[in-house]
Amino acid sequence: MDNYLFGTFASLSWTLTLVVTAATLVTVLYLAAPMWLFTVVTTALLWLFGAPWWLWVVALPPLAILTSPAIRQPLLSSKILAFLRKSGFMPQISATEREAIGAGTVWLDGELFSGQPDLKKIVRAEYPDLTPDEAEFLDGPVARACEMTDDWQVFQSRDLPTAVWDYLKQEGFFGMIIPKEFGGLGMSASANSAVVTKLASRSLPLAITVMVPNSLGPGELLTHYGTDAQKQRWLPALANGSEIPCFALTEPGAGSDAGAIQSKGVVFRGEDGELYLRLSWNKRYITLAAIATVLGLAFQLHDPENLLGKGPSPGITCALIPTSTDGVVLGERHDPMGVPFYNCPTSGENVVVKLEDAIIGGQAGAGRGWQMLMECLAAGRGVSLPATATGGTQLVARAVGAYAAVRQQFGLPIGKFEGIEEPLARIAGNTYLLEALRRFVCGALDSGQQPAVVTAIAKYNSTEIWRRVINDGMDVLGGAAISRGPRNLLAHGYMGTPICITVEGANILTRTLMIFGQGAIRCHPHAYAELTAIQSGDARAFDRAFWPHLGHVLTNSVRTVVLGATRGLLAWPATGGRARRHWQRLQWASAEFALTADLAMGTLGGNLKRKEKLTGRFADWFSWMFLASAALRRFEAEGRRTDDVALLDWTLEHAFEQMQQARVGIYGNLRLPGLGHALRWTAGLLARLNPFSTGPTDGLGQRAARTLLEPSGLRDRLTQRIHQPAANDSALARLERALQLCTDAEPVLKKLKAAMRAGRLPKARPAELLEQAVEGGILTSAESDLVKTAEAARSDAIAVDSFSLSDYLRGAVTDAEVPQADAEFARPPG
């Protein structure tokens, strides 16, 4: 018996030892403790539990080697580095790729990519509002420009009215980003974005006309890189609109691959001893080109005589060319989806300009064009198009919500049918999300960040979400959405959506190459340093990056298992309250994403960038973590409003559902060398059994949809950035009036229905019973008049446009009717 008890206690002792040891080491790894601390803890455990001598011999020497860089580097790191350089396993990065990857900064995207995000940084991230001057500009000149613009007439006449052009110049709309010292408005990114958001809710051609001079182009490039003389010459004139800029980058052979530019400029010395450029180019899709007075041009610079001392081919360069210069060809227009803004080809042959005046930055700017473009796009991509998408989405939410509440079928507002609730919930949730994303990203830009990956996430996802929202809006409005005319608020936005998808980096490229392709190197805590060390052969730098990277993988492996097993419950949330579980699941998603990304990078190496279906799924997972963070930041910044909870919950459940789809897709298609599709039947199966989310429930979708169906402070806040016309006969004002009247009349209609159920009135349409109800004392005369007014407003709001044949044909302008000044623009190329 004594021997039996001793054996039992000994067994229990060993079990306890193993449990304590495993729990301690797992905790150390979970908390990402440094290697020296892991070694200290391991040594303490060996001593505490009286480990046998052979276990000390097995454990301590490897730990000592890994802890000491002086021993580790020559013994291990140098050999691993030599193998990686010889094998070609790691991707080679060209000079242009290196400039693109290195452009801008890493912001909170680095936290999410790490797998161990400091969520407090997200909670504390800048979330600025407009200054009093900016708010005054938005409520004054911006609102006035919107009132002056009739979008239907813009499409009919194919241009903004002259009065609107003049007003935009007068009020400085073309110089919003130009510093005040040069006559510009010196606006923040937040204000620039808010202006475009409001303009886009009124007219897409109006928004595009204003956004283009305030995004990548002469104004921005000169502000950051121009010489003093160039700034003094151009910026005041750009700010007051006396000079109209465009920027020519895209050409037939260089679209997404902008580095393949063939336009060229050759340096030569003139008879006066000065340096000149002889330029030739063929560009297309250049907004404002046909009316531009100054052309920003990206080209390959050649210096055969090495007059600049930078070799025969300094590289891509940016220059300013007055369009009045001999050899510049303008005058034709593209027709992008019928949306009437100036988008044009331009070419030049043997165009000669003085080098110091033309190249942005003078001689010092020669060959720096690609760097300039990447740095400016790193910030600018997060402003104009996300703002356009946000303005369009808020307009859809306002208009479609009102229409769904006013339009009736089978005796009920269509918004009460579950089939309509589904798209309404998506519209409401995505509207909440896009404003959160816009404010979140602009906060980063205004704080001095230039987060290239974040702005790519913002551009891609905002325009894709806008595409889904406008499609949902078109579905809900049905025939009213496809019948064009002054009453139609959606058709022109629907027509213009592909433009937003395509420009500033086509979305397919942005998703598959930029968000994850660039993010995997730039946002990863160790990958960029490793690649740089491998390419340069720097053993010490490689040692400093490689071993922490291995520790990073181990930590995220432990975090993935622990957080997955507990569905994130052991994660420390950034805040408490209703958002607590969302923060915890975000930690879980980040840890597993980081581990899976490292697994793909570590097994596929340079081949990963050719697996674009996989990188696209990684981009989706990464993007939706960031979008979830933006929504959570908005909820915190706006004081955790109780009436916002349904929208926050819908948005987060949808975000985690999108991450889940990407997660399952990666595990189902990531082939590991030697193991094939092993992940599909292991991690893939576990992912299906333990999902991040299965999406918003029907009940949650119903609560989200109902935020759009009646007047409320929440509905006003959700759509606060749009322009709401003052004229009572505008399409949006008709819907708003009908919504308010129908909401006011609802209690009266309930009284009528109750009287019908009680047998006091016959079964009929309520509008047919008003006189009888008044005579029977069921309704007052005022209540009857309210219902009549509401029904008249309902009929007016859901009416669609129709035209006489002569009016309809008047919209088909013939060449003979085109003014001579515009005839060149109307004529097809060639």
Side-chain angles (χ1 to χ4, degrees), residues 696-714:
T697 64
D698 291 348
L700 179 57
Q702 183 181 72
R703 294 195 297 277
R706 286 180 177 175
T707 62
L708 302 180
L709 295 175
E710 58 185 31
S712 67
L714 173 57

Side-chain angles (χ1 to χ4, degrees), residues 197-365:
T197 297
K198 194 161 193 168
L199 296 177
S201 73
R202 181 60 168 170
S203 170
L204 185 58
L206 175 63
I208 292 173
T209 299
V210 170
M211 79 169 72
V212 168
N214 291 290
S215 57
L216 178 65
E220 185 174 23
L221 291 168
L222 284 169
T223 298
H224 293 296
Y225 309 106
T227 64
D228 289 340
Q230 289 172 335
K231 291 177 181 179
Q232 294 294 339
R233 162 65 182 88
W234 291 108
L235 290 181
L238 290 170
N240 65 30
S242 58
E243 299 280 3
I244 300 295
C246 69
F247 188 76
L249 175 61
T250 303
E251 54 191 53
S256 298
D257 182 12
I261 289 172
Q262 295 300 306
S263 299
K264 67 177 182 178
V266 179
V267 181
F268 68 96
R269 192 177 298 280
E271 294 179 358
D272 57 1
E274 299 286 345
L275 295 181
Y276 287 83
L277 288 174
R278 181 175 289 106
L279 295 155
S280 298
W281 69 86
N282 179 25
K283 302 286 188 176
R284 62 182 181 181
Y285 311 145
I286 311 306
T287 300
L288 298 183
I291 59 170
T293 60
V294 57
L295 178 94
L297 182 71
F299 61 95
Q300 294 284 359
L301 181 63
H302 300 278
D303 185 8
E305 299 177 56
N306 197 22
L307 298 173
L308 299 176
K310 296 184 177 183
S313 300
I316 295 175
T317 301
C318 294
L320 296 180
I321 315 298
T323 57
S324 58
T325 307
D326 289 344
V328 177
V329 179
L330 301 172
E332 293 184 340
R333 290 180 70 167
H334 302 303
D335 186 10
M337 298 299 294
V339 179
F341 66 97
Y342 287 96
N343 186 262
C344 326
T346 175
S347 60
E349 191 67 35
N350 292 323
V351 177
V352 176
V353 290
K354 192 172 181 180
L355 185 145
E356 185 65 20
D357 294 342
I359 292 180
I360 295 176
Q363 288 194 30

